[in-house]
Amino acid sequence: MKKLLLTLLLAPCFVWAQNGLQLLENLKRIESTGTVLHIAAHPDDESTHMLAWFAQEQHWETNYFAFTRGDGGQNLIGDEQGIPLGLIRTQELLAARRIDGANQHFSQAFDFGFSKSTDESLSFWNKELVLSNLVYVIRKLRPDIIFTRFPPDARAGHGHHSASAVLAIEAYQAAADPKRFPEQLKGDIKPWKATRLLWNTFRFGSSSTVSDDQFKIQIGNFLPSIGQSTGELAAFSRSQHKSQGFGFAVDHGKSTEYFQTLGGVAPKNSIQEGVTNHWQSSYAGAEIERMIGLIIRNYQTEKPYLSIPDMIQVRKSLNKLDDSYLKAKKIKQIDEWIVQAAGIHFAGSTNRGTIAQGDAMNIKTEFIVRSPVHVTSLKLSIGEKDTVLKESIVPYKRVNWNHTQQIRQSITQPYWLVNTKETGHFVVKDQEKIGQAAPDPALLVHAFLTIEGEKLQISRPIQELVVDPVKGEYSQPIAITPRSIFQINHPNILLPKGSGDSKSFEIQIKAMGAIASGKVDVLNQAGTRLGTLDLPEGLAMGMSQNVSITVREKDQKFDGKETWKLQLAYETSRGNWVDSLQMESINYPHIPVQRYFSPVSVNLLHIDFKKTGKRIGYIKGAGDKVPESLTQMGYQVDYLLESDLKASNLAQYDVVLTGVRAHNTVDYLSNAHAELMKYVENGGNYVVQYNTQSNLGPLKSQMGPYPLAITRNRITKEEAAPKFLVDLPIFHKPNEIKESDFADWVQERSIYLAESSDPNFTFPLAFTDPGESEQKGNIAIARYGKGQFIYTGLVFFRQLPAGVPGAWRLMANMLDARR
C-alpha cells in the first residue's frame, strides 16, 4: 500500500491510515493486472521517476530488482561498512518504495565495491547463481514489461551496472525456457516471457545515452488524489538514499523518458501496447472486471466501507478463476483494501526491543473496527496461543488481549545472514526467500475474522511501542537474542615483533536474560581458555561485566596476523551452554532500528612495526573507524573542532589527519584552510584521506597548499601490484615498505585518486588495473615551508579495521613527522 504522507521522512517507523482518495487509487490497482519489473545493480540505481509513474499513475504492480544491497559502497552518514551498510541501504530502499509505491527485490549478490569489468562482476558473484535469482523473480512476478537502468556495455560506467543488464537480457530468455533452472518450476512458478525488454536510457550529468530516434514517453503528471506529481514523488523517493548523499531536487513539471528495445516487441505508440492489462478473457474474469468497475463508479470517498459488501462479492467470484496465481495475488490486494476501508486497527506491541531465547514476553494486542462494519468470529493468535473473543465486535469498541509468550524461536537474524557468506554472494537455502527484501519479523500476531460471511486473516509484526517526549509514539522492530552477547573494545591488537609488549583487551559480557550463578570461560576457536569470569550471584537481565584478556608478544609464535574467534562457555546452576555472538544495532532516525548478530573475533598483529610522534589531531569526516586503530598503534588521538583549527593550537600535534570525505562534509574547513596551511608551513604534517569531487559530493574547501584535483579514477583490484615511482622517506621511515605490505588488502586499493600539474606535487606510488594504464594518484605529497601535505586515496578506512598488517605500517609512515 502507498504511504504517501511525506512527514514519514521524519520518524523511524510508521503506521498510517489510508484516506478515502488513496483507497480509490488502490481500487484501481486491484482493477489493473499490468506488472512491470525494473532491474539494476544497487540501491539508488533505480529510475524512481518511472517507478512512481507506473505505480501511482498507471496503477500497475511495480517492482524494482537490485542485484546487491549496496554493501560495498561508501557511507556519508556514519562509519558502517560492508554488512551493516547493506542493512542501512536495504531500509533506505524500502523507505523509497513506500513513497513511490513499488515493491523491492534482491538477489544473493554481494556488493564488492567498484568494478570496471562486466566479466569480473559476473565471475565474482557466481553468474549462474544470481541469474537463477532473477529468473525466479521473473517467473514469480510474471512481469509484462521488464526494463533495465543500464546498458550491457561500458556506457554503464560500472561493472556491476553493465552486468545487471547482461543478466537481464539473458534472464528475459531463460525465464521462458523450461529447460533453464527447472528445479524452480513448482506450484505457481512457471516459465514466463515478458512482452518486451527495454533499456531506460539516461542523462547523468555530462553523460547522455538518449537520442531522438528512441521511443519516448512524457511523464510527471499532477495527481489530484495525492496532491503531487509523480516527479515530486520520485524526488522524495530518491532522497531516501541518505547514506549515499542522494538528496534530490524536486521536479514539479513533466519530463521525458527514453527507451531502447533489448528484447521482445518494440513499442510504437505506447509503452504498454500489446499488454493485456485487464482480467482474463473468460466469462468469470470479465464479470469480475465489470464488478470492480461498478464499485469504482459508485465509490464514496468519505464512506469507503460502503463498498465492502461488493468487494466481498468480488472476492467470492475470484474462486471461479482457474488462474491460481492471479487469484492469490488479487485476494491479497482485496483483503488489504477491505481492512483499510473498514478502518480496522490491529497491532501487537511490547515494551521491550529485545528478548532472550527462553524468556517470556508480555504482549498487548489491540483490535478496533473504526467504521460501521460488522465483524464476527474474531480470533487472535500468537504462536501456539490463541483466544476466541466475542462473536460480534461492536464498531469502535476496543478489544485488548494481554498475553505472555514464551520465546522458543531462533534468534532474529536477517535471512541472508543466517548462513556464512561465500565469495561474492550470500547463501540462501530457502528458495521461497529468493528476492525477498526485508528481514523476517521476530514474531507475528494474527487476527482471524469474518466480514459479510467471508473469512479473512490479518497478520502484523509484534513491535516495540515507544513513547518519546519529543518524537511521540512510534514502533520499532524487536529482536530475539541469545542468552548473552559480548563485544571487545578493539578488534585488532598490535604486538610489534621484539617489543616484549603485553597488551590487554576488554570483553564486555551483557546478560540479555537472567543468568544463574556459576562461571563463564572465554575461549578461542582452539578451545584455549583466555580468561574466566566468576558469577557467584549470576547476572540479572541487562547487567554487564567485563573480562580483561592479556596477551604477551613473547608468547606469539607466528608472524603477521592471527585471528581468534571467541566464545563464552557457561557453567551455571541452571545449565551449561556456549554463546559466541555480538549484537550490532544500527540507529538512524530515517530507518527502523536494525539489529543483527555476528561472531566475535580479535586479530593479533605480530609484525615489524615502528612509529614516531605521539599526538594526532583528527578532523572527523563522514565517519570511519580509523581512530580506533591509531589508538592501538600508540597514538593519542584528539578530535578537533572548528575552534581548535588555529595554527597556534595545531602546533602541539605531530600530525593532523582528516577522516574520509572531511572536505566534502565539514563546512568550516573552508574557513580553516589558511590556518591549516600555516600549521604545515611551520613544520606540520597534514594528511587528508580520500574525498570526492562531483555534483553530489563537491569539495567544500581547498585541501592543500597548491591546486590538486580529485578524479573518479580508482584501483579496484585489491591484489594490484604496487609500483614505487619515487624513492621517498614515506617508504622507509620508520617502516621499510615492500611489495609484501600490499598483500591481503580487502575490496580495493584506492579510490578517488588525485592529479595535479603543479610541480610541487610528487606522486610516488602507482598501480595498474587489468587492461588499463598506470594510475599514480594514490598518494600525492607536497612540501610546503617546513612541513608537508599528503593526500591519499588508499582505502585505509577499510584496511585498518580489517587488520591488514601492511596498511598499518604504511599509515604509520604517513603519520611520521620526521621529513
Side-chain angles (χ1 to χ4, degrees):
M1 295 296 105
K2 313 302 180 287
K3 299 169 177 64
L4 299 174
L5 294 176
L6 296 179
T7 49
L8 63 76
L9 306 179
L10 303 178
C13 202
F14 321 88
V15 179
W16 296 111
Q18 299 286 314
N19 65 41
L21 286 173
Q22 289 170 330
L23 285 169
L24 176 59
E25 294 302 302
N26 292 345
L27 277 174
K28 296 175 182 177
R29 293 182 182 98
I30 295 173
E31 182 183 38
S32 169
T33 61
T35 301
V36 63
L37 175 64
H38 183 32
I39 299 171
H42 310 105
D44 73 39
D45 283 346
E46 72 271 27
S47 173
T48 51
H49 283 78
M50 287 305 304
L51 293 179
W53 182 78
F54 267 116
Q56 302 290 356
E57 184 172 342
Q58 303 304 305
H59 303 113
W60 280 33
E61 179 189 300
T62 306
N63 303 277
Y64 175 48
F65 181 96
F67 274 96
T68 78
R69 296 178 183 267
D71 329 73
Q74 281 86 53
N75 185 358
L76 194 63
I77 62 174
D79 59 15
E80 295 87 358
Q81 297 293 330
I83 296 296
L85 179 58
L87 288 167
I88 292 171
R89 297 186 71 181
T90 293
Q91 291 300 320
E92 290 177 337
L93 263 184
L94 292 173
R97 297 295 80 83
R98 287 193 290 269
I99 294 172
D100 59 41
N103 305 311
Q104 184 62 48
H105 310 272
F106 290 103
S107 83
Q108 294 172 246
F110 184 77
D111 181 358
F112 59 94
F114 191 88
S115 172
K116 299 176 180 178
S117 162
T118 301
D119 290 341
E120 178 193 35
S121 299
L122 295 177
S123 174
F124 191 81
W125 284 343
N126 184 339
K127 178 187 174 183
E128 279 297 291
L129 175 69
V130 296
L131 175 64
S132 74
N133 293 166
L134 179 54
V135 167
Y136 179 76
V137 170
I138 291 173
R139 289 170 170 174
K140 184 176 182 179
L141 298 177
R142 303 183 186 181
D144 301 289
I145 297 172
I146 301 174
F147 70 102
T148 70
R149 173 77 284 190
F150 300 106
D153 52 47
R155 292 173 295 174
H158 188 319
H160 295 178
H161 294 169
S162 53
S164 72
V166 168
L167 290 163
I169 293 169
E170 189 165 339
Y172 175 72
Q173 299 293 339
D177 184 353
K179 295 179 181 179
R180 297 300 308 274
F181 311 110
E183 69 280 0
Q184 297 177 358
L185 302 177
K186 300 174 184 178
D188 284 331
I189 305 299
K190 302 182 183 302
W192 181 257
K193 184 69 170 291
T195 301
R196 62 181 52 92
L197 172 65
L198 305 172
W199 166 34
N200 183 192
T201 59
F202 53 77
R203 291 188 182 97
F204 293 156
S206 60
S207 175
S208 176
T209 59
V210 305
S211 63
D212 288 338
D213 61 345
Q214 294 171 348
F215 178 79
K216 58 184 77 67
I217 59 174
Q218 194 173 59
I219 65 173
N221 288 331
F222 178 76
L223 305 179
S225 60
I226 59 176
Q228 291 179 344
S229 70
T230 57
E232 289 171 306
L233 291 174
F236 290 121
S237 171
R238 189 140 186 87
S239 296
Q240 297 311 295
H241 299 294
K242 300 182 187 302
S243 66
Q244 305 306 296
F246 265 57
F248 212 68
V250 175
D251 185 356
H252 299 281
K254 293 186 177 183
S255 61
T256 301
E257 295 287 330
Y258 296 77
F259 295 87
Q260 181 176 314
T261 302
L262 300 177
V265 182
K268 295 180 180 179
N269 301 308
S270 165
I271 196 171
Q272 300 108 321
E273 66 187 20
V275 174
T276 305
N277 184 21
H278 56 76
W279 293 71
Q280 59 191 43
S281 57
S282 67
Y283 173 79
E287 177 62 15
I288 289 171
E289 191 165 359
R290 185 195 66 80
M291 295 169 68
I292 297 174
L294 188 62
I295 292 170
I296 292 173
R297 288 194 295 273
N298 294 332
Y299 178 78
Q300 296 186 38
T301 303
E302 296 182 359
K303 298 179 179 179
Y305 54 84
L306 294 178
S307 297
I308 289 178
D310 291 331
M311 288 300 291
I312 292 291
Q313 294 305 311
V314 171
R315 192 181 191 279
K316 291 178 178 179
S317 296
L318 274 168
N319 290 318
K320 300 176 183 179
L321 293 180
D322 295 330
D323 189 338
S324 60
Y325 167 79
L326 183 63
K327 183 190 306 183
K329 182 166 70 171
K330 290 301 177 180
I331 283 178
K332 181 180 179 181
Q333 289 180 342
I334 288 171
D335 288 357
E336 290 173 348
W337 190 91
I338 290 172
V339 168
Q340 292 158 2
I344 292 175
H345 166 71
F346 172 55
S349 63
T350 182
N351 61 358
R352 296 174 59 182
T354 60
I355 179 74
Q357 288 176 302
D359 278 3
M361 173 176 281
N362 296 322
I363 300 168
K364 176 183 178 182
T365 303
E366 187 174 59
F367 186 96
I368 312 172
V369 182
R370 296 169 296 180
S371 72
V373 171
H374 194 60
V375 172
T376 60
S377 305
L378 175 66
K379 182 175 76 172
L380 306 179
S381 172
I382 302 172
E384 299 175 356
K385 179 71 175 179
D386 58 57
T387 181
V388 177
L389 300 175
K390 299 179 180 179
E391 278 295 309
S392 180
I393 304 301
V394 178
Y396 306 106
K397 180 178 176 60
R398 189 187 313 269
V399 175
N400 289 331
W401 178 39
N402 296 320
H403 167 60
T404 300
Q405 177 76 19
Q406 196 78 21
I407 301 301
R408 298 185 177 90
Q409 289 86 347
S410 301
I411 65 170
T412 307
Q413 182 82 311
Y415 75 88
W416 59 95
L417 302 180
V418 170
N419 302 301
T420 302
K421 180 175 73 72
E422 295 182 1
T423 300
H425 63 270
F426 298 106
V427 176
V428 180
K429 297 181 179 180
D430 184 350
Q431 179 69 43
E432 293 186 0
K433 291 194 177 298
I434 298 300
Q436 180 178 318
D440 295 310
L443 286 170
L444 291 171
V445 59
H446 309 281
F448 303 89
L449 61 147
T450 301
I451 298 179
E452 296 285 329
E454 195 77 355
K455 294 180 180 179
L456 282 74
Q457 176 181 337
I458 313 170
S459 298
R460 297 284 186 266
I462 295 171
Q463 296 188 302
E464 179 189 15
L465 185 66
V466 181
V467 181
D468 184 90
V470 176
K471 298 177 182 178
E473 178 183 305
Y474 62 94
S475 297
Q476 293 280 23
I478 63 172
I480 299 170
T481 75
R483 200 98 204 121
S484 72
I485 58 174
F486 65 115
Q487 62 183 17
I488 55 178
N489 61 338
H490 197 282
N492 299 294
I493 303 300
L494 177 62
L495 298 167
K497 290 172 65 174
S499 65
D501 286 353
S502 293
K503 287 192 177 180
S504 299
F505 62 94
E506 295 290 319
I507 295 179
Q508 183 188 64
I509 301 173
K510 182 176 181 180
M512 303 304 289
I515 296 175
S517 60
K519 69 171 185 174
V520 55
D521 290 329
V522 180
L523 309 176
N524 64 15
Q525 69 268 33
T528 303
R529 184 185 295 109
L530 306 176
T532 299
L533 176 65
D534 290 322
L535 303 171
E537 298 180 1
L539 283 177
M541 182 183 69
M543 284 188 60
S544 297
Q545 285 202 24
N546 289 357
V547 182
S548 182
I549 307 296
T550 299
V551 290
R552 301 185 304 177
E553 186 270 329
K554 67 179 183 179
D555 294 334
Q556 311 312 314
K557 307 303 181 185
F558 66 94
D559 291 337
K561 180 174 77 171
E562 182 174 281
T563 300
W564 286 352
K565 296 181 179 179
L566 305 181
Q567 296 179 325
L568 303 179
Y570 286 90
E571 295 181 12
T572 75
S573 59
R574 295 187 180 178
N576 304 335
W577 73 94
V578 174
D579 283 337
S580 60
L581 299 174
Q582 60 185 335
M583 182 176 74
E584 302 285 352
S585 295
I586 304 171
N587 291 277
Y588 288 103
H590 68 298
I591 60 172
V593 62
Q594 300 295 293
R595 299 183 180 94
Y596 72 102
F597 300 91
S598 59
V600 182
S601 61
V602 59
N603 298 315
L604 302 183
L605 303 183
H606 189 220
I607 61 177
D608 288 320
F609 180 88
K610 300 180 180 65
K611 77 171 185 69
T612 61
K614 297 179 179 179
R615 300 189 68 184
I616 295 176
Y618 200 86
I619 302 173
K620 289 184 179 181
D624 59 61
K625 296 180 180 179
V626 169
E628 291 90 333
S629 298
L630 300 177
T631 300
Q632 184 63 209
M633 290 179 188
Y635 293 102
Q636 176 183 322
V637 180
D638 296 340
Y639 293 103
L640 303 181
L641 302 176
E642 181 176 11
S643 58
D644 300 318
L645 300 183
K646 304 294 183 185
S648 57
N649 180 63
L650 297 176
Q652 64 183 304
Y653 296 108
D654 299 301
V655 62
V656 173
L657 176 64
T658 72
V660 300
R661 288 190 180 183
H663 283 273
N664 296 131
T665 60
V666 181
D667 292 327
Y668 57 73
L669 279 180
S670 178
N671 297 329
H673 180 259
E675 293 294 319
L676 284 164
M677 293 305 100
K678 189 181 299 183
Y679 159 75
V680 174
E681 188 176 18
N682 292 338
N685 185 19
Y686 184 40
V687 180
V688 175
Q689 295 188 76
Y690 91 90
N691 286 266
T692 65
Q693 174 65 347
S694 67
N695 292 333
L696 293 174
L699 287 172
K700 296 185 176 181
S701 63
Q702 184 178 346
M703 294 184 296
Y706 312 109
L708 184 70
I710 304 302
T711 72
R712 302 291 291 176
N713 298 336
R714 59 183 80 200
I715 300 295
T716 62
K717 283 287 188 181
E718 59 268 31
E719 65 271 20
K723 183 176 181 180
F724 302 102
L725 301 176
V726 183
D727 189 20
L728 293 180
I730 196 172
F731 299 131
H732 303 290
K733 297 179 181 180
N735 300 290
E736 190 68 29
I737 301 300
K738 303 175 182 179
E739 184 170 344
S740 59
D741 286 296
F742 293 90
D744 300 322
W745 282 45
V746 297
Q747 185 162 312
E748 61 217 338
R749 285 291 191 207
S750 58
I751 53 179
Y752 307 113
L753 307 186
E755 65 180 17
S756 177
S757 59
D758 193 296
N760 289 289
F761 276 109
T762 300
F763 298 91
L765 181 66
F767 299 95
T768 304
D769 267 341
E772 295 191 356
S773 60
E774 186 176 273
Q775 299 286 341
K776 63 176 184 177
N778 309 277
I779 301 173
I781 300 178
R783 296 290 304 177
Y784 184 64
K786 298 177 182 179
Q788 71 179 359
F789 166 82
I790 300 176
Y791 172 85
T792 180
L794 292 171
V795 286
F796 289 108
F797 73 100
R798 297 193 195 280
Q799 311 311 318
L800 298 187
V804 177
W808 281 55
R809 286 161 41 83
L810 181 55
M811 173 57 84
N813 284 18
M814 286 198 173
L815 302 179
D816 183 8
R818 300 179 302 157
R819 298 298 180 199

